[in-house]
Amino acid sequence: MNGFPNKRGWGVALYLIFVAGLSWGAWTYGYGQAIGQLAARGEADLALASDRLVAGLLRYRSTAVLLSDHPALMDLHSGTAPEVANQLLQETVDKTGALTAFYLDAEGAVLASAHGRAPPAVAQSSYFLRAKDGALGAGHSVNALFDNRAYYFAAPSFAAGGGVLGVLVVAVNIDRLEQEWRASRPAVFFSTEAGEVFVTSRSELLFWKKVPGGMVNLAGDRFDITFEQLGEHVFLKQNLSPYVPNTALYLNQALPVIGMVAESLVDIRSAQRLAGLQAAVVAALCLGLGGFLFFAGTRRRALARANLALESRVRERTLDLENVNKALRSEVVEREDAEAALRQAQADLVQAGKLSALGQMSAGISHELNQPLMAIRQYAENGQAFLGRGQPDKTGENLNRIASLASRAARIITNLRAFSRNESEPMGRVDLVGVLQSAVELTEARLKQDGVELDWDPAATNGPVYARGGEVRLTQVFVNLINNAADAMLEKDRRYIRIVIDNGEKLAVTVRDLGPGIADPERIFEPFYSTKEVGAGMGLGLSISYGLVQSFGGKIRGANVGQGAMFTVELDYWQDEDGVQAQGALK
């Protein structure tokens, strides 16, 4: 036991050494990957900058070649005044953006110039001497006329016999070319064959010159630079400028077409940060895992000790829980019995509402049944008399009338039987027009008795409209709404009810009356709330209707509209299992 802490300490130390080695490996791998990506991107940026510079310069070379044998320049050799040639060169400079242009004879004498003069010692320049030999010359220097860096293209013009008559020189303004990408990243510069920086995106490096082991600026100050080869990449360490990274990835590319070398210094700090982040993540994960395992072992031993005490407490609590469980099971049985009783009471309440509506309509329905029965009796006696007289045609007409009246009586009885029964079928597809027609037929006798004008046109919907609900329960809703509307207008001289189906984007049915309106719209769907006289009703009709509509997933609301009240029942269109709306439900 005494040696256990030392063993654990050695294990922790070895694990930390392992984590350090793994982190270093992650840093090395991540750094190498990041440097490779930086090098690829830097090479692409350097190639782009080189192409941009070369393309910008060669555009002026084409100008010099095309213009070198212009007639206005050729005429200069025959003694023609230089005004026309000067004008030509001036227009060329203005249109191309060149720094200047001038034309010399084979001896180096200036015959024409865009600005009336040419740089000194042009006849001794390398580009003039090359053009004098019949080749295309190119060179660079600081233009003494304009105090600007310039790149020169010299194109020879040939005599008819093949000799060189003169040389056209076009000077390019390097400052203008640099304006587009000056101060861009990474640092890019273009050095001459002598190692002098002639074009650069960092103005502070301009005209610096490479010397063995360093660089010298214009003031003669020497700055040390060192190159390190790591794998396939070269790194440069320097203190040239605060705007150039101290340690950078060095890239170069030869540009023989313009006699320069393109060089780039890519900042590697992003690669170092990325590699450091990866190493930190690996170290954090390893240390987190090690710490977790260390504390998990300590915790496991503590839990083993606590487990013994917990088991004894669990045994004590198990007995208590068994007793509580028995009490809960008894309570669940009582709750289920109460819910079953509540559902039965709700069903009985719905049925009571139906029977209450049937009782209210019983006198009118009896009258509706009595009329066809008496008419059937009369037509039967008439048919018997016509049959005795030998008039079978008249007898047939009476029999047809008897059949029609019997159908009417059967339809009334069918509606009553359907309305009075307890509906136990689940919700399904219901023809809303047929439901409303059944409700109208059930209340037709009562409405005639009370002198209520009903505005209802089943043909206005252009066919059936299928809703989601229960046929009997939905019929009860509209019977309640029609009866309530009729009750509200008993004291009115004009009694009018209008029923409309709106089968647009949403399916809705409105029942509107010309009664006194709703006294308290917020309470109309509360049970036992009624504005009728005592004994005229229990105040359950609208409450039952509210529950039935909600059971279909719909909504019902009442509001005062001008003279009277309007109740709106919103339902869902019936859709099949694939979500397709049933035919007849207009969109």
Side-chain angles (χ1 to χ4, degrees), residues 78-162:
S78 59
T80 304
E83 285 76 9
V84 176
N86 290 340
Q87 181 66 27
L88 172 65
L89 296 179
Q90 181 63 55
E91 291 178 356
T92 301
V93 168
D94 293 340
K95 291 178 180 179
T96 61
L99 182 63
T100 187
F102 46 90
Y103 184 76
L104 305 91
D105 62 12
E107 303 302 325
V110 178
L111 301 181
S113 175
H115 297 91
R117 50 184 175 164
V122 174
Q124 287 77 37
S125 63
S126 59
Y127 54 86
F128 174 78
L129 295 176
R130 181 172 174 79
K132 182 179 177 181
D133 291 337
L136 183 65
H140 50 80
S141 66
V142 176
N143 190 297
L145 294 178
F146 301 97
D147 195 23
N148 282 339
R149 286 168 295 149
Y151 197 94
Y152 300 93
F153 288 105
S157 59
F158 298 96

Side-chain angles (χ1 to χ4, degrees), residues 240-260:
L240 304 176
S241 167
Y243 302 104
V244 178
N246 293 331
T247 301
L249 178 65
Y250 175 77
L251 304 171
N252 60 13
Q253 177 182 349
L255 302 176
V257 69
I258 60 173
M260 294 186 185

Side-chain angles (χ1 to χ4, degrees), residues 46-70:
L46 182 59
L48 180 62
S50 301
D51 292 342
R52 187 161 45 193
L53 177 63
V54 171
L57 291 175
L58 295 185
R59 184 176 64 219
Y60 296 95
R61 183 179 70 177
S62 301
T63 301
V65 172
L66 294 174
L67 197 63
S68 62
D69 56 355
H70 193 278

